[in-house]
Amino acid sequence: MSSFDNTSDRRVWENDFRQLERIARSAHVAGLPVARSLLADLKRANRLVSDRPPTDVVTLNNWVTFRDEENNTERRLLVTPKDFWDLDVHLSVLSPLGAALVGMQAGSSVPYVDLEGAPRLATVKSVGADNFLKRKGLEVGLCTLALLTVWLALACYSLS
């Protein structure tokens, strides 16, 4: 069961809210411009109180498919800055686009200002794990297998 008030289109899962607020406050202290807008969005957002993350809202560590104003469609995993390591896969919540997408539902559009200061618009097409499988499929499986093999080899080497 989840509950929320109706003051904003942005719906943020309570577990994400606390983490996002800590990240945004740290980024604000560090002087990152996106921190102020993320903090403002969090302040206005509806907090979803539930034991599980919502399936229809952009949350941390979940896939989001979005379209820009040029009609380009992309899929990314929304992550914290410490979990960001692959530009083709991840979208940091401290990027202008990542901060704008947090808490938005499929079908909703959200304006944001990119790193160059240009106004942009992103539309959430879908939310969920199946996005990644449709995009990369075998490529991801092979990469995961290769990384696991390297990790096991290193573990065996360090034990000997």
Side-chain angles (χ1 to χ4, degrees), residues 103-155:
M104 301 307 291
Q105 288 184 275
S108 60
S109 295
V110 61
Y112 68 100
V113 177
D114 68 15
L115 291 172
E116 288 79 38
R120 300 284 183 188
L121 183 71
T123 301
V124 179
K125 291 186 69 178
S126 64
V127 178
D130 64 320
N131 294 331
F132 188 62
L133 296 175
K134 290 177 186 173
R135 179 172 180 227
K136 298 267 184 172
L138 181 62
E139 189 178 320
V140 169
L142 292 173
C143 183
T144 302
L145 184 60
L147 287 172
L148 230 119
T149 304
V150 168
W151 181 82
L152 284 172
L154 288 171

Side-chain angles (χ1 to χ4, degrees), residues 33-60:
V34 72
R36 179 172 284 169
S37 64
L38 181 55
L39 283 168
D41 288 341
L42 289 173
K43 186 175 183 179
R44 287 189 305 272
N46 296 307
R47 290 198 212 178
L48 300 174
V49 180
S50 175
D51 55 344
R52 286 185 255 169
T55 57
D56 62 338
V57 172
V58 178
T59 58
L60 284 175

Side-chain angles (χ1 to χ4, degrees), residues 8-148:
S8 171
D9 290 339
R10 191 175 306 274
R11 298 170 42 207
V12 178
W13 185 38
E14 184 68 26
N15 290 15
D16 279 359
F17 184 89
R18 290 184 294 257
Q19 186 175 10
L20 289 166
E21 190 174 45
R22 279 191 305 271
I23 291 168
R25 287 189 189 287
S26 294
H28 183 66
V29 169
L32 295 177
V34 72
R36 179 172 284 169
S37 64
L38 181 55
L39 283 168
D41 288 341
L42 289 173
K43 186 175 183 179
R44 287 189 305 272
N46 296 307
R47 290 198 212 178
L48 300 174
V49 180
S50 175
D51 55 344
R52 286 185 255 169
T55 57
D56 62 338
V57 172
V58 178
T59 58
L60 284 175
N61 302 312
N62 202 356
W63 295 96
V64 57
T65 303
F66 57 91
R67 186 181 68 239
D68 63 18
E69 61 270 357
E70 283 100 31
N71 223 19
N72 298 316
T73 299
E74 296 187 46
R75 293 178 188 91
R76 297 284 188 274
L77 180 64
L78 186 69
V79 296
T80 63
K82 70 178 178 71
D83 294 326
F84 182 90
W85 55 271
D86 186 338
L87 189 60
D88 291 329
V89 176
H90 298 126
L91 177 63
S92 173
V93 73
L94 282 183
S95 69
L97 176 58
L101 291 175
V102 169
M104 301 307 291
Q105 288 184 275
S108 60
S109 295
V110 61
Y112 68 100
V113 177
D114 68 15
L115 291 172
E116 288 79 38
R120 300 284 183 188
L121 183 71
T123 301
V124 179
K125 291 186 69 178
S126 64
V127 178
D130 64 320
N131 294 331
F132 188 62
L133 296 175
K134 290 177 186 173
R135 179 172 180 227
K136 298 267 184 172
L138 181 62
E139 189 178 320
V140 169
L142 292 173
C143 183
T144 302
L145 184 60
L147 287 172
L148 230 119

